[in-house]
Amino acid sequence: MRAFRGDAGRPARGGDTAADKLKAYIQATFAEDANTRNVSAALLAVVANDLQLLAPVREHQQRDVAGLVELGQQFPRAAVVWLATIGQWFLEVLDVSPLKGDQRQQVMEELLRLAETVQTPTATANTE
């Protein structure tokens, strides 16, 4: 799964705003092919036997949430988009997603529209 914050040192596709990063995350997640999902499913099976193997995943998720928290008042909306994206990814990894074809595309487009409304807070506006 792709990181929301782009911790690999390269900017997210499309720009550096919160909306750009969130949209890049959605696009990358929905673009994963069946082979990638099969590998992810195999990894889930392995970690089911040793929960300590999930430590890097927990760290990854904590970094993602930290990036969302930095959005201040925009956090709830960004978190909902992020969670919906992860939820769809997980359903696809388990091969139980009811969304196929046009429905899947429509959901992705709606998530992208919602992500577009997430604004990066300015230094003065983020005084929570």
Side-chain angles (χ1 to χ4, degrees), residues 8 14 16 23 31-32 54 59 63 69 71 76 80 84:
D16 291 328
K23 288 189 306 185
E32 288 186 347
L54 287 173
E59 292 169 10
R63 284 192 305 271
V69 168
L71 298 173
V80 166

Side-chain angles (χ1 to χ4, degrees), residues 13-30:
R13 279 185 290 158
D16 291 328
T17 69
D20 292 335
K21 291 177 183 178
L22 197 51
K23 288 189 306 185
Y25 180 78
I26 294 163
Q27 291 167 337
T29 301
F30 274 76

Side-chain angles (χ1 to χ4, degrees), residues 39-61:
V39 169
S40 297
L43 290 173
L44 284 175
V46 169
V47 299
N49 292 311
D50 185 353
L51 295 179
Q52 292 180 24
L53 295 173
L54 287 173
V57 176
R58 285 187 195 94
E59 292 169 10
H60 173 85
Q61 299 302 329

Side-chain angles (χ1 to χ4, degrees), residues 1-8 10 24-32 36-37 39-41 43-44 56-58 60-64 81-93:
M1 192 148 53
R2 309 300 189 269
F4 168 72
R5 292 182 63 186
D7 290 324
R10 46 185 193 275
Y25 180 78
I26 294 163
Q27 291 167 337
T29 301
F30 274 76
E32 288 186 347
T36 302
R37 285 189 295 276
V39 169
S40 297
L43 290 173
L44 284 175
V57 176
R58 285 187 195 94
H60 173 85
Q61 299 302 329
Q62 288 171 343
R63 284 192 305 271
D64 280 357
V81 170
W82 180 74
L83 287 166
T85 303
I86 289 174
Q88 180 59 26
W89 172 84
F90 195 67
L91 289 172
E92 289 179 4
V93 165

Side-chain angles (χ1 to χ4, degrees), residues 57-117:
V57 176
R58 285 187 195 94
E59 292 169 10
H60 173 85
Q61 299 302 329
Q62 288 171 343
R63 284 192 305 271
D64 280 357
V65 170
L68 297 172
V69 168
E70 291 173 5
L71 298 173
Q73 293 179 343
Q74 298 289 312
F75 169 76
R77 179 172 301 182
V80 166
V81 170
W82 180 74
L83 287 166
T85 303
I86 289 174
Q88 180 59 26
W89 172 84
F90 195 67
L91 289 172
E92 289 179 4
V93 165
L94 296 176
D95 198 24
V96 296
S97 176
L99 302 180
K100 304 292 183 207
D102 288 344
Q103 290 178 335
R104 184 180 185 276
Q105 182 67 29
Q106 290 170 357
V107 168
M108 183 187 76
E109 290 171 3
E110 183 61 23
L111 289 170
L112 291 168
R113 274 191 288 280
L114 288 169
E116 185 64 40
T117 67

